[in-house]
Amino acid sequence: MRLLSRNWSFATFFTLLYALLLAWFMQHHELWFDETEPWLLALYSNSYTELLQNKVYEGHPNLWYSLLFIVTRFTHDLLALQATQFIFAMGFVLVFLRYAPFHWLLRLLFCFGYYGLFEYGTISRLYALELFTTFLICALYPKRFSHWYLFLLVLVLNSQTHLFGLFFSCALGLLLFSEAFSFWKEAPDQPIISPLKKWLGLGIWVAGCLYSLYSMIRPSEGELVMLNLRSVTRPWQAFFPIPHFFVDFWNSYILTPTLLGYACEAILSVTIVTFVLRCFLPVKRLFLPLIGLFVLLTLFFAFKYMGSIRHYGHYFVFTLTFGWLLSYYQDTSALAQISFKRLQKLLLLATFIQFGVGIYAVATDIRHPFHPAKRTAAYLKAKVPSTDLIVLENDIILSSIVAYYGKPILYLPTLTPSTFFQPDSPEENELTLYQLLNWAKALAQKENKRVVLVSSQNIDLNWYPYPVKLLSRFEEPNITHHFFYLYQVDPNPFPKADFVAGTPQSDLRANPIK
């Protein structure tokens, strides 16, 4: 009881400290379009059925979107998105600090490091929800047979969080039912459950995983195939996410992207993966599903999506969680005990590096904007009269401006109010920058109003024959390396006075026509 009390005191104290730091850091973090897109989908869907229809291009399961749909029925305040993220971030930290079997320093370094505090903490994506359910699975693992349906429920919920949550749920489900049906001999937790519970549980788990897969399939999914040989270099970056130390450090890597750099990354990755897998050899029931998870991740990065650090960080997350499971088998094998100690040394080194990178990431997020959407929206609210028409050049990168602005903004290429990204126009029909200005000019003349074009690209106005004013530019160095520009297009139909046949007079004076 003393140990239990001490563990709870330790977990509660540092979870509260984590909560205070996270709340402060979130005040400085500007949301970007990957964070606000699920919020916009939930906010501007009039029914749950409409939400499911609107999110068909997202490539994610429904759980995060469903939670945000419930939240947006009560409030339209964008802070509620960060509050939802905050709750699940606190949840995975509390579970990890209380139940993870690792050294107390390793637990703290992970929670207050790059992944725990920045990538899966400060940034409001669905990964905190995924980690929360993943860590619950690990905590419940010793009682998976005595709490059969509870364990299955968490498995199914985990599969609804993310594709990688589905991977983990599939791996743990296969492990669970291989033990339940006595595939493994000399099981440390011999299952005593009825055949009915086994088969019913199998049906629940399979149905949950299949529904998760169905909810992620996008239109023309089979056409979205690529080849990325760099996938073999990902694991080392997951363990040691050391970036270039610039303002736009995010998703950069310390090794130079050259042939020699790639070779070094591949060698490091193979070495780390080999060491990790050797640690699990004494417990084959963990060794095989972990290989399966690594293979699934590599195939995904090789043929479907190149990924960013939040994605291939799952090489580390899966190693961490399977190390957690390995601790339960230490009493069954002296080799398992030795392997757990060896693995914990690698994890301790990795989390130490991650802690340092996390300090740099959070400090940079405080000193510099993460994304310019918040400041752009604030300018539009304060400086642009309500009589002007505001239009967007891009409904992906600029969608976060809509979230901060608080109401839909006209998407110029389709002349429809933009709320969330809807990929319904072929890329070959995209407008050039000068075509966008022409459309903005035509719209200004038709409505007899000034049009403010919000663009993610800098347009050279010297070669545009009609008067356009650059209202403001948001080019302050930021972490995502996006810049926004506001152009004012007047309804004046006459070209610039100093243009002759579309050529600036300044150029004519410098190069007179002979």
CSV table of all heavy atoms in Angstrom, one decimal, residues 5-17 93-99 107:
chain,number,residue,atom,x,y,z
A,5,SER,N,0.6,4.1,-2.8
A,5,SER,CA,0.4,5.5,-2.4
A,5,SER,C,1.5,6.4,-3.0
A,5,SER,O,1.3,7.5,-3.5
A,5,SER,CB,0.3,5.7,-0.9
A,5,SER,OG,0.2,7.0,-0.5
A,6,ARG,N,2.8,5.9,-2.8
A,6,ARG,CA,3.9,6.7,-3.3
A,6,ARG,C,3.8,6.9,-4.8
A,6,ARG,O,4.1,8.0,-5.4
A,6,ARG,CB,5.2,6.1,-2.9
A,6,ARG,CG,6.4,6.9,-3.2
A,6,ARG,CD,7.6,6.4,-2.5
A,6,ARG,NE,8.0,5.1,-2.8
A,6,ARG,CZ,8.0,4.1,-2.0
A,6,ARG,NH1,7.5,4.2,-0.8
A,6,ARG,NH2,8.4,2.9,-2.4
A,7,ASN,N,3.4,5.9,-5.5
A,7,ASN,CA,3.3,5.9,-7.0
A,7,ASN,C,2.2,6.9,-7.4
A,7,ASN,O,2.4,7.7,-8.3
A,7,ASN,CB,3.0,4.6,-7.6
A,7,ASN,CG,4.2,3.7,-7.7
A,7,ASN,OD1,5.3,4.2,-7.6
A,7,ASN,ND2,4.0,2.4,-7.8
A,8,TRP,N,1.1,6.9,-6.7
A,8,TRP,CA,0.0,7.8,-7.0
A,8,TRP,C,0.4,9.2,-6.7
A,8,TRP,O,0.1,10.2,-7.4
A,8,TRP,CB,-1.3,7.4,-6.2
A,8,TRP,CG,-2.2,6.5,-7.0
A,8,TRP,CD1,-2.5,5.2,-6.6
A,8,TRP,CD2,-2.8,6.7,-8.2
A,8,TRP,NE1,-3.3,4.7,-7.6
A,8,TRP,CE2,-3.5,5.6,-8.6
A,8,TRP,CE3,-2.9,7.8,-9.1
A,8,TRP,CZ2,-4.3,5.5,-9.7
A,8,TRP,CZ3,-3.6,7.7,-10.3
A,8,TRP,CH2,-4.3,6.6,-10.6
A,9,SER,N,1.1,9.4,-5.6
A,9,SER,CA,1.6,10.8,-5.2
A,9,SER,C,2.6,11.3,-6.3
A,9,SER,O,2.5,12.5,-6.7
A,9,SER,CB,2.3,10.8,-3.9
A,9,SER,OG,1.3,10.3,-2.9
A,10,PHE,N,3.5,10.5,-6.7
A,10,PHE,CA,4.4,10.8,-7.7
A,10,PHE,C,3.7,11.2,-9.0
A,10,PHE,O,4.0,12.2,-9.6
A,10,PHE,CB,5.4,9.6,-7.9
A,10,PHE,CG,6.3,9.8,-9.1
A,10,PHE,CD1,7.5,10.5,-9.0
A,10,PHE,CD2,6.0,9.1,-10.3
A,10,PHE,CE1,8.3,10.6,-10.1
A,10,PHE,CE2,6.8,9.3,-11.4
A,10,PHE,CZ,8.0,10.0,-11.3
A,11,ALA,N,2.8,10.3,-9.5
A,11,ALA,CA,2.1,10.5,-10.7
A,11,ALA,C,1.2,11.8,-10.7
A,11,ALA,O,1.2,12.6,-11.6
A,11,ALA,CB,1.2,9.3,-11.1
A,12,THR,N,0.5,12.0,-9.6
A,12,THR,CA,-0.4,13.1,-9.4
A,12,THR,C,0.4,14.4,-9.4
A,12,THR,O,0.0,15.4,-10.1
A,12,THR,CB,-1.2,13.0,-8.2
A,12,THR,OG1,-2.0,11.8,-8.2
A,12,THR,CG2,-2.2,14.2,-8.0
A,13,PHE,N,1.5,14.5,-8.6
A,13,PHE,CA,2.3,15.7,-8.5
A,13,PHE,C,2.8,16.1,-9.9
A,13,PHE,O,2.7,17.3,-10.3
A,13,PHE,CB,3.4,15.5,-7.5
A,13,PHE,CG,4.3,16.7,-7.5
A,13,PHE,CD1,4.0,17.8,-6.7
A,13,PHE,CD2,5.6,16.7,-8.1
A,13,PHE,CE1,4.8,18.9,-6.7
A,13,PHE,CE2,6.4,17.8,-8.1
A,13,PHE,CZ,6.1,18.9,-7.4
A,14,PHE,N,3.5,15.2,-10.6
A,14,PHE,CA,4.1,15.6,-11.9
A,14,PHE,C,3.1,15.7,-13.0
A,14,PHE,O,3.3,16.5,-13.9
A,14,PHE,CB,5.2,14.5,-12.2
A,14,PHE,CG,6.4,14.7,-11.4
A,14,PHE,CD1,6.7,13.9,-10.4
A,14,PHE,CD2,7.3,15.8,-11.7
A,14,PHE,CE1,7.9,14.0,-9.7
A,14,PHE,CE2,8.5,16.0,-11.0
A,14,PHE,CZ,8.8,15.1,-9.9
A,15,THR,N,1.9,15.1,-12.9
A,15,THR,CA,0.9,15.4,-13.9
A,15,THR,C,0.3,16.8,-13.7
A,15,THR,O,0.1,17.5,-14.7
A,15,THR,CB,-0.3,14.3,-13.7
A,15,THR,OG1,0.2,13.0,-13.9
A,15,THR,CG2,-1.4,14.6,-14.7
A,16,LEU,N,0.2,17.2,-12.5
A,16,LEU,CA,-0.3,18.6,-12.2
A,16,LEU,C,0.8,19.6,-12.7
A,16,LEU,O,0.5,20.6,-13.3
A,16,LEU,CB,-0.6,18.8,-10.7
A,16,LEU,CG,-1.8,18.1,-10.2
A,16,LEU,CD1,-1.9,18.3,-8.7
A,16,LEU,CD2,-3.1,18.6,-10.9
A,17,LEU,N,2.1,19.3,-12.5
A,17,LEU,CA,3.1,20.1,-13.0
A,17,LEU,C,3.1,20.2,-14.5
A,17,LEU,O,3.2,21.3,-15.1
A,17,LEU,CB,4.5,19.6,-12.5
A,17,LEU,CG,5.7,20.4,-13.0
A,17,LEU,CD1,5.7,21.9,-12.5
A,17,LEU,CD2,7.0,19.7,-12.5
A,93,VAL,N,-0.3,11.2,-19.7
A,93,VAL,CA,0.8,11.4,-18.8
A,93,VAL,C,0.5,10.8,-17.5
A,93,VAL,O,1.4,10.1,-16.9
A,93,VAL,CB,1.0,13.0,-18.7
A,93,VAL,CG1,1.9,13.2,-17.5
A,93,VAL,CG2,1.7,13.5,-19.9
A,94,LEU,N,-0.7,10.9,-17.0
A,94,LEU,CA,-1.0,10.3,-15.7
A,94,LEU,C,-0.9,8.8,-15.7
A,94,LEU,O,-0.3,8.2,-14.8
A,94,LEU,CB,-2.5,10.7,-15.3
A,94,LEU,CG,-3.0,10.2,-14.0
A,94,LEU,CD1,-2.2,10.6,-12.8
A,94,LEU,CD2,-4.5,10.5,-13.8
A,95,VAL,N,-1.4,8.2,-16.8
A,95,VAL,CA,-1.4,6.7,-16.9
A,95,VAL,C,0.1,6.3,-17.0
A,95,VAL,O,0.5,5.3,-16.3
A,95,VAL,CB,-2.2,6.3,-18.1
A,95,VAL,CG1,-2.0,4.8,-18.3
A,95,VAL,CG2,-3.7,6.6,-17.9
A,96,PHE,N,0.9,7.0,-17.8
A,96,PHE,CA,2.3,6.6,-18.0
A,96,PHE,C,3.1,6.7,-16.7
A,96,PHE,O,3.8,5.8,-16.3
A,96,PHE,CB,2.9,7.4,-19.1
A,96,PHE,CG,4.2,7.0,-19.5
A,96,PHE,CD1,4.4,5.8,-20.3
A,96,PHE,CD2,5.4,7.6,-19.1
A,96,PHE,CE1,5.7,5.4,-20.7
A,96,PHE,CE2,6.7,7.2,-19.4
A,96,PHE,CZ,6.8,6.1,-20.2
A,97,LEU,N,2.9,7.9,-16.0
A,97,LEU,CA,3.6,8.1,-14.8
A,97,LEU,C,3.2,7.1,-13.7
A,97,LEU,O,4.1,6.7,-12.9
A,97,LEU,CB,3.4,9.5,-14.3
A,97,LEU,CG,4.1,10.6,-15.1
A,97,LEU,CD1,3.7,12.0,-14.6
A,97,LEU,CD2,5.6,10.5,-15.2
A,98,ARG,N,2.0,6.8,-13.6
A,98,ARG,CA,1.5,5.9,-12.6
A,98,ARG,C,1.8,4.4,-12.8
A,98,ARG,O,2.2,3.7,-11.9
A,98,ARG,CB,0.0,6.1,-12.4
A,98,ARG,CG,-0.7,5.1,-11.5
A,98,ARG,CD,-0.1,5.0,-10.1
A,98,ARG,NE,-0.7,4.0,-9.3
A,98,ARG,CZ,-0.2,2.7,-9.2
A,98,ARG,NH1,0.8,2.4,-9.9
A,98,ARG,NH2,-0.8,1.8,-8.4
A,99,TYR,N,1.6,4.0,-14.1
A,99,TYR,CA,1.6,2.5,-14.3
A,99,TYR,C,2.8,2.0,-15.1
A,99,TYR,O,3.1,0.8,-15.1
A,99,TYR,CB,0.4,2.1,-15.0
A,99,TYR,CG,-0.9,2.2,-14.2
A,99,TYR,CD1,-1.8,3.3,-14.4
A,99,TYR,CD2,-1.2,1.3,-13.2
A,99,TYR,CE1,-2.9,3.4,-13.6
A,99,TYR,CE2,-2.3,1.5,-12.4
A,99,TYR,CZ,-3.2,2.5,-12.6
A,99,TYR,OH,-4.3,2.7,-11.8
A,107,ARG,N,10.5,8.0,-17.1
A,107,ARG,CA,9.1,8.4,-17.2
A,107,ARG,C,8.9,9.9,-17.3
A,107,ARG,O,8.2,10.4,-18.1
A,107,ARG,CB,8.3,7.8,-16.1
A,107,ARG,CG,7.9,6.3,-16.2
A,107,ARG,CD,7.2,5.8,-15.0
A,107,ARG,NE,8.0,5.6,-13.8
A,107,ARG,CZ,7.6,5.6,-12.5
A,107,ARG,NH1,6.3,5.7,-12.3
A,107,ARG,NH2,8.4,5.4,-11.6
